[in-house]
Amino acid sequence: MDFMTPLTWADALAIRAERPDAVPIAGGTDVMVEMNFHRRRPGVLLDLTRIGDLTTWAMDGELLRIGAGVSYTRLIEELGDRLPGLAMAARTVGSPQIRNRGTLGGNLGSASPAGDGHPPLLAAGAQVELASVRGTRLVPIDEFFTGPKHSVLAPDELIAAVWVRPADGPEQFSKIGTRNAMVIAVSSFSLALHPGRRAVGTGIGSAAPTPRRAAEAELFAAGQLPWDTLAALEPSVARRFGELVAAAAAPIDDVRGTAAYRRHALAVLAQRTLTWAWRDLCG
């Protein structure tokens, strides 16, 4: 196995172009697990930890550009007030040690249906910045995932950053697992309210071949929420929202839960997060 450690982003992209079989590694919280369990034995590891540009974030106009190497811990500590849904999800990831090492870009690169960072990015309408020696492109997050652990990432591309608008309303994230910590989600759900444009964003995790939005549920909630009066949320609206979220999923039976349980859990999570977010909005 070759181990390559570029010092600049240009060098990393050049190596990726020459060796498309190279596996990028930053925190290593996914890659090393697969190697330790002999699920993967790459010919080349491409170490991105020395590229400082990947570990920065900044406002660019009205959007946040978050480098792919920003860790979960930094998402919580430095961006929790701007991206509360993503920070909530980051707090559920592994242990403090894993949150210190794991990165937003690594989570996206693994493209797991159960990735904790994916539902909040879907709910917020994020874009993924992909780069290669050929140039850079932005991919909407709901077009990024193509199948279980597969994405639109080309063999010569690397994830450079995520672009996302800071929250303009309450956000929520909730997941259920087989225990309270250090656990892969049985199902997860994220919600973002956008009162300025009377819109609702959603993200479903671990209940379909890819993370996905619940588009019909979004339209229903946007049309039913009492934006003008900020009156109390009708239980029937929350219940129907949960039903539509569950209907948008395509879960399977596996060792962590049955498809029926995942649908039920999603309905409950959706009702709760909508209730919590609406309560936050109403003060």
Side-chain angles (χ1 to χ4, degrees), residues 12 15 17 45-46 75 77 94 119 122 135 141 168 198 202 218 279:
I15 293 171
L45 281 178
L46 178 57
L75 290 174
E77 295 178 350
L122 284 164
I141 186 69
D168 55 358
R198 302 189 178 195
T202 61
E218 293 176 3
R279 187 180 300 152

Side-chain angles (χ1 to χ4, degrees), residues 199-219:
V200 177
T202 61
I204 294 172
S206 201
T210 65
R212 60 172 59 175
R213 292 169 53 196
E216 190 175 348
E218 293 176 3
L219 293 174

Side-chain angles (χ1 to χ4, degrees), residues 26-31 68-72 75 86 89-90 92-93 98 101-121 128 141 144-145 149-151 159 162 173 211:
T29 58
D30 283 336
V31 172
V70 173
S71 69
Y72 295 114
L75 290 174
L86 186 58
T92 73
V93 174
I98 292 173
R101 293 292 303 173
T103 63
L104 184 61
N107 197 220
L108 283 167
S110 297
S112 168
D116 292 317
H118 305 154
L121 293 177
V128 185
I141 186 69
F144 178 75
F145 307 102
K149 298 194 174 183
H150 288 86
S151 70
I159 298 173
V162 170
F173 172 84

Side-chain angles (χ1 to χ4, degrees), residues 242-243 246 262-274 276:
E243 292 170 354
R262 283 187 162 95
R263 286 192 189 278
H264 171 72
L266 272 177
V268 174
L269 296 179
Q271 290 181 60
R272 289 178 178 175
T273 52
L274 181 61
W276 296 335

